[in-house]
Amino acid sequence: MEKQVFISFFLDKRRALRNGKFPVKLRVFTPYPRIQKLYPTKFEYTEKEFFGIWETKKPRKEVLKKRSEMHSVLSKAEEVADQMPTFMFEVFEGKLYQKKGEDENVLYQYDEAIKRLKNNKQIGTASTYDLSKKAIINFLLKRDLNQKEEKLDEEEPKILSFRQITTTWLNSFETYLSDYGRSQTTISMYVRTLRTLFNQAISNNVINRDLYPFGRNKYRVPAQKAVKKALTKEELKILFEAEPTTEEQKIAKEYFFFLFNCSGLNVKDMASLKFDNLVGDKLVYTREKTKRTSKTNSRPVVVYLNEYALDFIERYGNRDKRKSNLIFDIFRNEMTEEERFRKSHNFTRFLNQHLKLLAKDNGLPEAISTYWSRHSFATNAIRSGASLEQISQALNHNNISTTKNYFAGFEDEAMKKLTDNLMNFAKDEKKAIN
């Protein structure tokens, strides 16, 4: 079997340090594909010192200790690489620099996952992992989840072994979250991040599969409740005709119907749109959510703009319509991904706050949010005769089962009409006889 990776020491003479010495780095090279990476070490030597300590076959007695230290670093790197069934630089880097026992520490693995997600610009998912980790720490300390952090002075735990997380532990954690008012959906999200870390630890040979606490006859992750978030046709009419009492309510209402008319477009995708995405009377864009998670099957979303949507863009869109410019004045091109995440979150909260006030004043569900525009679009389009396949394409879903979760079902009148018409064949036959 051909060697996957070659590891050696390299004296980096490209730039001398202030003391006149050069940094010694680990050179990691893979022949297939041909990739070389250099990793820092604590060693610094002149060219003569490096030769006398490492390269010579007969080092002097006074440098044997330094040579031994270098051997230890090299041996650890080779051991890490040899334990990997398939060598991957990202996994190698994580294991190379972690302290003893960190690979089995759940809290450390949370931190590593959060860093990876942020580097991959998956800020929303990173936030979920961060909230999950904080909930676990609060659970370990058995403290009030709803208490302000600045009032807490307990020393936070630094270590939680995978071995400590059993079926009993998970059931207790779920009960704790429920007792402090966390919804079933939130509990499910928190526990699924933990399950993902378990799967990664097993895949990386950190723990044995026997320790896996999830699955049949073990702990089952709570199913997320499929809450229907769609307005009926009548409710949409009431909202559309509602008279806002403030300018903020007017803005919230008009943004809601723009999202609704754009096949349930979400706020972050809307804020990311550029004039380059406007192609005649169409919006053609790739969802932010799928840019990194579905690279192999990332098809563009095509939205045909109706009169309402075109008018909205004209009224709320930027005046400078150069293709590289954002359509709406929510993001700025130079914003980082984290800044965009915060801005999108805050703008969505602004819209939802004033949308709820308008809904309350008009007898509509007060739980309404911008996300209801997506469910309302799917449900009303299907009730009007569109097929699940059409709506699935409009929502950019990969399968019909996901689309079904957006459909709030048919209204009573439609179901009554369905059963009333079941015997139409008999009536038609009777008419023919007469």
Side-chain angles (χ1 to χ4, degrees):
M1 182 177 175
E2 288 193 54
K3 196 170 175 64
Q4 290 188 84
V5 61
F6 297 88
I7 305 175
S8 60
F9 280 116
F10 169 77
L11 187 67
D12 191 352
K13 295 183 287 187
R14 291 174 294 182
R15 182 179 299 174
L17 302 171
R18 288 185 178 181
N19 58 11
K21 298 183 179 185
F22 300 101
V24 177
K25 297 183 178 179
L26 274 176
R27 176 182 178 269
V28 181
F29 172 74
T30 56
Y32 308 104
R34 291 179 65 87
I35 299 175
Q36 172 181 292
K37 287 193 175 185
L38 298 175
Y39 296 96
T41 71
K42 65 178 182 178
F43 307 114
E44 301 171 357
Y45 299 124
T46 64
E47 196 168 356
K48 183 179 179 181
E49 286 172 338
F50 183 71
F51 178 83
I53 296 170
W54 187 250
E55 293 190 338
T56 183
K57 292 181 179 179
K58 295 182 179 181
R60 298 191 310 275
K61 285 185 179 181
E62 57 265 31
V63 299
L64 285 177
K65 184 178 179 181
K66 293 179 179 178
R67 187 184 181 101
S68 177
E69 288 178 354
M70 292 179 72
H71 262 300
S72 294
V73 172
L74 184 63
S75 296
K76 180 185 177 182
E78 289 176 337
E79 183 182 352
V80 168
D82 289 342
Q83 287 176 350
M84 296 169 60
T86 302
F87 182 83
M88 292 182 288
F89 278 102
E90 183 180 335
V91 177
F92 173 78
E93 291 162 14
K95 288 180 172 292
L96 181 65
Y97 293 109
Q98 68 187 19
K99 297 175 183 177
K100 187 175 181 180
E102 281 183 335
D103 54 349
E104 295 184 13
N105 181 2
V106 175
L107 301 179
Y108 172 82
Q109 294 302 333
Y110 261 106
D111 290 336
E112 291 299 294
I114 291 166
K115 280 191 282 188
R116 284 195 303 272
L117 289 164
K118 285 184 176 180
N119 288 337
N120 200 33
K121 298 182 179 179
Q122 294 174 262
I123 308 302
T125 309
S127 177
T128 300
Y129 271 74
D130 186 51
L131 291 170
S132 177
K133 181 195 171 188
K134 287 177 180 175
I136 289 172
I137 288 173
N138 286 329
F139 169 63
L140 295 175
L141 293 171
K142 295 295 189 292
R143 64 191 184 190
D144 190 339
L145 265 173
N146 302 310
Q147 193 172 346
K148 295 290 185 182
E149 283 190 25
E150 57 265 24
K151 295 181 180 179
L152 303 172
D153 54 5
E154 302 103 319
E155 186 176 344
E156 292 189 353
K158 299 292 190 295
I159 298 173
L160 173 64
S161 170
F162 280 105
R163 295 175 182 274
Q164 293 174 254
I165 300 176
T166 61
T167 301
T168 302
W169 189 99
L170 288 165
N171 281 319
S172 297
F173 181 51
E174 180 182 331
T175 301
Y176 164 79
L177 292 172
S178 180
D179 287 345
Y180 282 105
R182 297 304 180 261
S183 68
Q184 193 170 5
T185 299
T186 299
I187 295 171
S188 176
M189 287 169 60
Y190 287 178
V191 177
R192 280 188 287 119
T193 63
L194 192 51
R195 185 177 63 184
T196 299
L197 294 182
F198 259 95
N199 287 326
Q200 289 172 351
I202 292 169
S203 177
N204 294 333
N205 296 318
V206 170
I207 60 172
N208 193 289
R209 180 164 287 279
D210 292 344
L211 294 174
Y212 194 63
F214 301 91
R216 190 176 180 183
N217 299 324
K218 295 183 180 180
Y219 177 79
R220 292 290 187 97
V221 177
Q224 296 187 48
K225 290 182 180 179
V227 181
K228 302 305 180 185
K229 303 173 181 177
L231 295 176
T232 65
K233 185 163 55 176
E234 290 72 21
E235 288 172 329
L236 284 169
K237 186 174 187 295
I238 292 171
L239 181 62
F240 187 73
E241 294 176 350
E243 288 293 336
T245 57
T246 65
E247 181 64 21
E248 290 81 5
Q249 287 184 16
K250 175 177 177 292
I251 292 169
K253 169 186 162 181
E254 294 191 348
Y255 266 97
F256 177 90
F257 279 103
F258 175 70
L259 299 175
F260 171 78
N261 279 285
C262 290
S263 305
L265 179 68
N266 71 39
V267 172
K268 188 179 181 184
D269 286 333
M270 176 189 67
S272 302
L273 290 172
K274 295 184 177 183
F275 284 101
D276 187 44
N277 297 116
L278 267 178
V279 184
D281 63 345
K282 294 183 294 186
L283 273 178
V284 182
Y285 69 97
T286 302
R287 291 192 70 195
E288 295 294 313
K289 183 178 180 179
T290 60
K291 278 182 179 177
R292 286 166 293 276
T293 57
S294 305
K295 290 180 181 177
T296 57
N297 189 28
S298 183
R299 64 180 186 271
V301 181
V302 179
V303 176
Y304 288 86
L305 299 171
N306 58 21
E307 186 178 345
Y308 182 95
L310 289 168
D311 177 65
F312 181 90
I313 291 173
E314 189 60 34
R315 288 186 295 113
Y316 282 91
N318 286 313
R319 301 280 74 96
D320 187 345
K321 294 181 170 55
R322 280 177 292 181
K323 287 186 175 296
S324 60
N325 283 351
L326 292 160
I327 295 178
F328 301 106
D329 191 21
I330 301 170
F331 291 163
R332 296 189 308 276
N333 281 325
E334 65 272 16
M335 276 183 170
T336 66
E337 195 62 32
E338 288 196 48
E339 288 172 334
R340 287 181 176 229
F341 175 78
R342 286 195 297 272
K343 183 68 175 179
S344 172
H345 179 79
N346 290 337
F347 187 65
T348 302
R349 186 168 56 183
F350 162 80
L351 294 178
N352 289 341
Q353 177 185 347
H354 296 286
L355 194 59
K356 291 177 190 299
L357 292 173
L358 181 62
K360 182 180 179 180
D361 289 343
N362 289 273
L364 295 170
E366 292 179 42
I368 190 173
S369 68
T370 56
Y371 196 59
W372 281 48
S373 66
R374 191 165 176 81
H375 285 255
S376 298
F377 159 74
T379 294
N380 283 278
I382 292 171
R383 287 175 178 172
S384 296
S387 68
L388 272 171
E389 287 78 11
Q390 274 183 292
I391 304 308
S392 183
Q393 181 176 325
L395 295 175
N396 200 235
H397 288 159
N398 288 326
N399 55 70
I400 297 294
S401 60
T402 305
T403 309
K404 288 178 181 177
N405 292 329
Y406 282 71
F407 179 45
F410 291 99
E411 295 177 285
D412 292 344
E413 188 60 35
M415 297 306 294
K416 183 178 184 301
K417 188 176 180 181
L418 174 68
T419 52
D420 285 347
N421 291 336
L422 286 177
M423 293 301 291
N424 279 354
F425 67 91
K427 296 175 183 176
D428 292 342
E429 184 177 342
K430 189 174 180 180
K431 285 180 184 178
I433 293 173
N434 294 335

